[in-house]
Short mmCIF file of all heavy atoms in Angstrom, two decimals:
data_model
loop_
_atom_site.label_atom_id
_atom_site.label_comp_id
_atom_site.label_asym_id
_atom_site.label_seq_id
_atom_site.Cartn_x
_atom_site.Cartn_y
_atom_site.Cartn_z
N ASP B 776 125.83 113.92 89.73
CA ASP B 776 125.62 112.50 89.50
C ASP B 776 124.15 112.15 89.69
O ASP B 776 123.48 112.72 90.55
CB ASP B 776 126.45 111.66 90.48
CG ASP B 776 127.96 111.87 90.30
OD1 ASP B 776 128.37 112.16 89.16
OD2 ASP B 776 128.69 111.76 91.29
N PRO B 777 123.64 111.20 88.90
CA PRO B 777 122.25 110.77 89.11
C PRO B 777 122.10 110.09 90.47
O PRO B 777 123.06 109.56 91.02
CB PRO B 777 121.99 109.79 87.96
CG PRO B 777 123.30 109.48 87.35
CD PRO B 777 124.30 110.50 87.82
N LEU B 778 120.87 110.14 91.00
CA LEU B 778 120.61 109.47 92.27
C LEU B 778 120.74 107.96 92.11
O LEU B 778 120.23 107.39 91.15
CB LEU B 778 119.19 109.80 92.77
CG LEU B 778 118.94 111.23 93.20
CD1 LEU B 778 117.46 111.40 93.55
CD2 LEU B 778 119.80 111.62 94.37
N THR B 779 121.41 107.35 93.06
CA THR B 779 121.55 105.90 93.05
C THR B 779 120.47 105.28 93.93
O THR B 779 119.78 105.99 94.68
CB THR B 779 122.93 105.47 93.60
OG1 THR B 779 122.99 105.83 95.00
CG2 THR B 779 124.06 106.14 92.84
N LEU B 780 120.34 103.99 93.88
CA LEU B 780 119.39 103.29 94.75
C LEU B 780 119.73 103.55 96.21
O LEU B 780 118.84 103.79 97.03
CB LEU B 780 119.40 101.79 94.44
CG LEU B 780 118.46 100.93 95.30
CD1 LEU B 780 117.02 101.37 95.13
CD2 LEU B 780 118.62 99.46 94.94
N ASP B 781 121.01 103.53 96.55
CA ASP B 781 121.42 103.81 97.94
C ASP B 781 121.03 105.23 98.35
O ASP B 781 120.62 105.45 99.49
CB ASP B 781 122.92 103.61 98.11
CG ASP B 781 123.32 102.14 98.12
OD1 ASP B 781 122.45 101.27 98.37
OD2 ASP B 781 124.51 101.86 97.87
N ASP B 782 121.18 106.20 97.43
CA ASP B 782 120.76 107.57 97.73
C ASP B 782 119.27 107.61 98.06
O ASP B 782 118.85 108.23 99.04
CB ASP B 782 120.99 108.50 96.53
CG ASP B 782 122.46 108.70 96.20
OD1 ASP B 782 123.32 108.59 97.10
OD2 ASP B 782 122.74 108.99 95.01
N LYS B 783 118.47 106.95 97.23
CA LYS B 783 117.01 106.95 97.42
C LYS B 783 116.62 106.26 98.72
O LYS B 783 115.76 106.75 99.46
CB LYS B 783 116.31 106.31 96.23
CG LYS B 783 116.41 107.14 94.97
CD LYS B 783 115.71 106.49 93.80
CE LYS B 783 115.80 107.34 92.55
NZ LYS B 783 115.06 106.75 91.43
N ILE B 784 117.24 105.14 99.02
CA ILE B 784 116.94 104.43 100.28
C ILE B 784 117.30 105.32 101.47
O ILE B 784 116.54 105.42 102.43
CB ILE B 784 117.67 103.08 100.34
CG1 ILE B 784 117.06 102.12 99.32
CG2 ILE B 784 117.63 102.49 101.75
CD1 ILE B 784 117.83 100.82 99.14
N GLY B 785 118.44 105.99 101.40
CA GLY B 785 118.83 106.90 102.47
C GLY B 785 117.84 108.04 102.65
O GLY B 785 117.51 108.42 103.78
N MET B 786 117.34 108.58 101.54
CA MET B 786 116.35 109.65 101.61
C MET B 786 115.05 109.15 102.23
O MET B 786 114.41 109.84 103.03
CB MET B 786 116.08 110.22 100.22
CG MET B 786 117.29 110.92 99.62
SD MET B 786 117.04 111.30 97.89
CE MET B 786 116.32 112.91 98.04
N GLU B 787 114.64 107.93 101.86
CA GLU B 787 113.42 107.34 102.42
C GLU B 787 113.56 107.13 103.92
O GLU B 787 112.65 107.49 104.69
CB GLU B 787 113.11 106.02 101.71
CG GLU B 787 112.71 106.18 100.28
CD GLU B 787 112.70 104.88 99.48
OE1 GLU B 787 113.15 103.83 100.01
OE2 GLU B 787 112.25 104.91 98.33
N GLU B 788 114.68 106.57 104.34
CA GLU B 788 114.89 106.31 105.77
C GLU B 788 114.94 107.61 106.57
O GLU B 788 114.35 107.72 107.64
CB GLU B 788 116.18 105.52 105.97
CG GLU B 788 116.10 104.09 105.48
CD GLU B 788 117.42 103.35 105.51
OE1 GLU B 788 118.49 104.00 105.64
OE2 GLU B 788 117.39 102.11 105.41
N THR B 789 115.64 108.62 106.04
CA THR B 789 115.74 109.91 106.72
C THR B 789 114.37 110.58 106.83
O THR B 789 114.01 111.11 107.89
CB THR B 789 116.73 110.83 105.97
OG1 THR B 789 118.01 110.19 105.94
CG2 THR B 789 116.84 112.18 106.63
N THR B 790 113.60 110.54 105.75
CA THR B 790 112.27 111.15 105.75
C THR B 790 111.35 110.46 106.74
O THR B 790 110.65 111.11 107.52
CB THR B 790 111.67 111.11 104.33
OG1 THR B 790 112.52 111.84 103.46
CG2 THR B 790 110.28 111.70 104.31
N LEU B 791 111.35 109.15 106.72
CA LEU B 791 110.48 108.39 107.63
C LEU B 791 110.86 108.67 109.08
O LEU B 791 110.00 108.85 109.94
CB LEU B 791 110.57 106.90 107.32
CG LEU B 791 109.49 106.02 107.90
CD1 LEU B 791 108.10 106.49 107.49
CD2 LEU B 791 109.70 104.57 107.45
N GLN B 792 112.15 108.74 109.38
CA GLN B 792 112.60 109.03 110.75
C GLN B 792 112.20 110.44 111.15
O GLN B 792 111.72 110.66 112.26
CB GLN B 792 114.12 108.87 110.86
CG GLN B 792 114.62 108.99 112.28
CD GLN B 792 114.09 107.89 113.18
OE1 GLN B 792 114.21 106.72 112.86
NE2 GLN B 792 113.48 108.27 114.29
N PHE B 793 112.35 111.41 110.25
CA PHE B 793 111.96 112.79 110.55
C PHE B 793 110.47 112.88 110.85
O PHE B 793 110.05 113.50 111.83
CB PHE B 793 112.32 113.72 109.39
CG PHE B 793 111.82 115.13 109.60
CD1 PHE B 793 112.56 116.02 110.35
CD2 PHE B 793 110.61 115.54 109.07
CE1 PHE B 793 112.10 117.31 110.57
CE2 PHE B 793 110.15 116.83 109.28
CZ PHE B 793 110.89 117.72 110.03
N LEU B 794 109.65 112.26 110.00
CA LEU B 794 108.21 112.30 110.22
C LEU B 794 107.83 111.62 111.53
O LEU B 794 106.98 112.10 112.27
CB LEU B 794 107.48 111.65 109.04
CG LEU B 794 107.58 112.40 107.71
CD1 LEU B 794 106.99 111.57 106.58
CD2 LEU B 794 106.93 113.77 107.79
N SER B 795 108.48 110.51 111.82
CA SER B 795 108.20 109.79 113.06
C SER B 795 108.56 110.63 114.28
O SER B 795 107.83 110.63 115.27
CB SER B 795 108.99 108.48 113.07
OG SER B 795 108.84 107.80 114.28
N ASP B 796 109.67 111.35 114.21
CA ASP B 796 110.13 112.15 115.34
C ASP B 796 109.33 113.44 115.53
O ASP B 796 109.29 113.98 116.63
CB ASP B 796 111.61 112.54 115.16
CG ASP B 796 112.55 111.35 115.30
OD1 ASP B 796 112.12 110.28 115.78
OD2 ASP B 796 113.72 111.50 114.90
#
Side-chain angles (χ1 to χ4, degrees):
D776 297 330
L778 292 175
T779 66
L780 179 60
D781 287 339
D782 293 334
K783 291 180 179 183
I784 290 171
M786 294 169 90
E787 292 167 353
E788 290 172 345
T789 300
T790 299
L791 196 56
Q792 187 64 53
F793 175 83
L794 293 172
S795 175
D796 291 346

